[in-house]
Amino acid sequence: MRNPLTTLIARAAEVTTTVPPRPAFLRHCVLALVAAVAAAGSFSAHAQAFPTKPVTLVIPFAAGGPTDLLGRALAQSMGASLGQAVIVENRVGAGGTVASAYVARATKDGYTLLLHHIGMSTAPSLYRKLSFDPLKDFEYLGQVADVPMTVIGRPNLPANTPQELIAYLQREGKAVNLSHAGLGAASQLCGMLLQQAVGAESTTVPFQGTAPALTALIGGQVDLMCDQSMQTVQHIKAGKVKLYGVTTRERLKPLPDAPTLREAGLKDFEVVVWHGLYAPKATPAPVLAALNTALKAALKDPALIKRLDDVGVQVVKEGLQTPEALHAQLSAEVNRWGALIRQAGTYAD
Ligand code: ASP
């Protein structure tokens, strides 16, 4: 069967019989079409061979923080499955939207991916001038993992139990510095819900990720933070910060003595940070299939599972490791947060 582009070349050649001869121009046209056919051919061969060079995984927050730690663990396991290195690149700023905008505009060849969390779903409501659309500008590779959060304080914060913390927040109000990783980051959303639940307003202090925010907390420059267990468990165990509670329904395996915030009296309080893996829209289907296979293989890797389990993190069930499941989750969350954010009237711009 004739390839459509070959047909087009033949037609271009036929033109020589009907149009006054302009040989140089026609030769140029034919050469351009031959080049296009060659490029298309090499692209499909390229797609079959994917990947032939390292893949970049863009992380929207600072190196050393929870998204970065999850991303690096995932990159290592996916790289082993793909037979190519997966290199982590941190592109920080504006609650993760700088990285999302970058990947939305990246070359659609599967070599630039984005790991992002719940913040992908809050961005279209929080940022009214967003340069990308989370529901239109990406391919969805699958959900990745659900990460619990912990509420932690500087080592010398004068509150030792969750009840003392609640009283402290209510008493001190704006004098309390609550740090987070930018508007739309999980730490900011959790902090916002905590203030609502406690009925007190603190002063919020944004950082470009919770890695620098944690350094400030340990150093006593800020008072309090919600942060993902991916980063905090080791610092809690080392006694570098005070732990007040976990944001899940159940206690966490690595921190069995820490109460849930529900147990501590904050009724219905629950924050779990879901994560998804994205590629730019219109990445070729065979490349997406290869990436999804690598994602699924990574989420079965015993080394990855153990590394996450040690910090209370579960990889998602196999049925959620799919493009459809990630898209469904994102759509539902965009609607849920849209309503909450409009109600709260809080915008980033
Ligand atoms: N994921 C964190 C957050 O949303 C930020 C980070 O990874 O640094 O708060």
Side-chain angles (χ1 to χ4, degrees):
M1 219 179 71
R2 223 170 186 195
N3 174 317
L5 278 173
T6 323
T7 312
L8 212 55
I9 291 174
R11 291 220 182 105
E14 279 159 19
V15 178
T16 48
T17 60
T18 55
V19 174
R22 294 172 63 194
F25 170 73
L26 284 169
R27 198 166 52 243
H28 179 77
C29 285
V30 172
L31 287 178
L33 285 163
V34 169
V37 172
S42 81
F43 183 77
S44 66
H46 182 73
Q48 278 151 23
F50 178 87
T52 57
K53 60 178 187 181
V55 172
T56 297
L57 178 60
V58 176
I59 301 293
F61 297 102
T67 315
D68 180 75
L69 293 171
L70 178 64
R72 282 172 201 272
L74 183 68
Q76 198 176 344
S77 297
M78 280 185 72
S81 163
L82 289 168
Q84 280 287 345
V86 176
I87 296 162
V88 164
E89 187 178 312
N90 302 83
R91 286 196 169 252
V92 303
T97 56
V98 167
S100 304
Y102 172 77
V103 175
R105 288 192 294 267
T107 308
K108 309 156 192 329
D109 58 5
Y111 288 100
T112 309
L113 307 178
L114 171 73
L115 175 71
H116 203 345
H117 61 25
I118 193 166
M120 189 71 146
S121 60
T122 57
S125 316
L126 277 175
Y127 293 82
R128 288 169 295 182
K129 291 189 201 93
L130 213 55
S131 68
F132 64 93
D133 183 338
L135 289 168
K136 290 200 183 122
D137 294 342
F138 295 92
E139 299 290 348
Y140 309 92
L141 291 163
Q143 292 187 44
V144 178
D146 293 330
V147 184
M149 298 197 88
T150 52
V151 176
I152 53 178
R154 64 179 155 85
N156 53 355
L157 195 71
N160 292 315
T161 64
Q163 288 75 18
E164 284 179 22
L165 177 70
I166 293 168
Y168 177 79
L169 290 173
Q170 289 166 339
R171 191 175 64 243
E172 300 295 328
K174 286 275 200 184
V176 178
N177 287 319
L178 174 65
S179 57
H180 63 75
L183 277 171
S187 45
Q188 185 257 327
L189 297 170
C190 174
M192 184 180 81
L193 296 175
L194 182 68
Q195 292 173 76
Q196 276 172 9
V198 165
E201 206 181 333
S202 310
T203 298
T204 52
V205 186
F207 287 80
Q208 294 208 318
T210 49
L214 182 65
T215 305
L217 190 78
I218 292 171
Q221 286 99 40
V222 291
D223 299 313
L224 196 71
M225 165 163 82
C226 269
D227 195 17
Q228 289 146 78
S229 65
M230 196 75 216
Q231 167 169 245
T232 60
V233 166
Q234 56 164 319
H235 297 286
I236 292 165
K237 285 187 167 168
K240 291 195 183 151
V241 291
K242 277 190 178 175
L243 170 63
Y244 295 104
V246 299
T247 65
T248 39
R249 278 170 184 267
E250 310 291 334
R251 290 187 175 207
L252 295 189
K253 213 163 78 182
L255 301 168
D257 299 332
T260 67
L261 291 182
R262 291 173 171 237
E263 285 174 61
L266 301 184
K267 199 170 152 283
D268 298 334
F269 197 96
E270 184 178 11
V271 185
V272 180
V273 187
W274 62 272
H275 290 74
L277 187 64
Y278 303 84
K281 185 81 184 170
T283 300
V287 170
L288 294 173
L291 288 167
N292 179 259
T293 303
L295 171 65
K296 286 184 164 154
L299 298 182
K300 279 194 195 75
D301 176 1
L304 178 92
I305 292 172
K306 161 131 185 32
R307 196 157 162 195
L308 298 187
D309 192 58
D310 286 349
V311 288
V313 177
Q314 308 290 318
V315 302
V316 295
K317 294 197 181 74
E318 202 171 342
L320 298 179
Q321 300 164 12
T322 65
E324 299 73 27
L326 175 56
H327 187 260
Q329 169 76 356
L330 181 65
S331 310
E333 288 280 281
V334 164
N335 288 335
R336 181 166 85 96
W337 285 104
L340 285 170
I341 291 164
R342 276 191 300 277
Q343 201 183 341
T346 317
Y347 300 100
D349 45 28

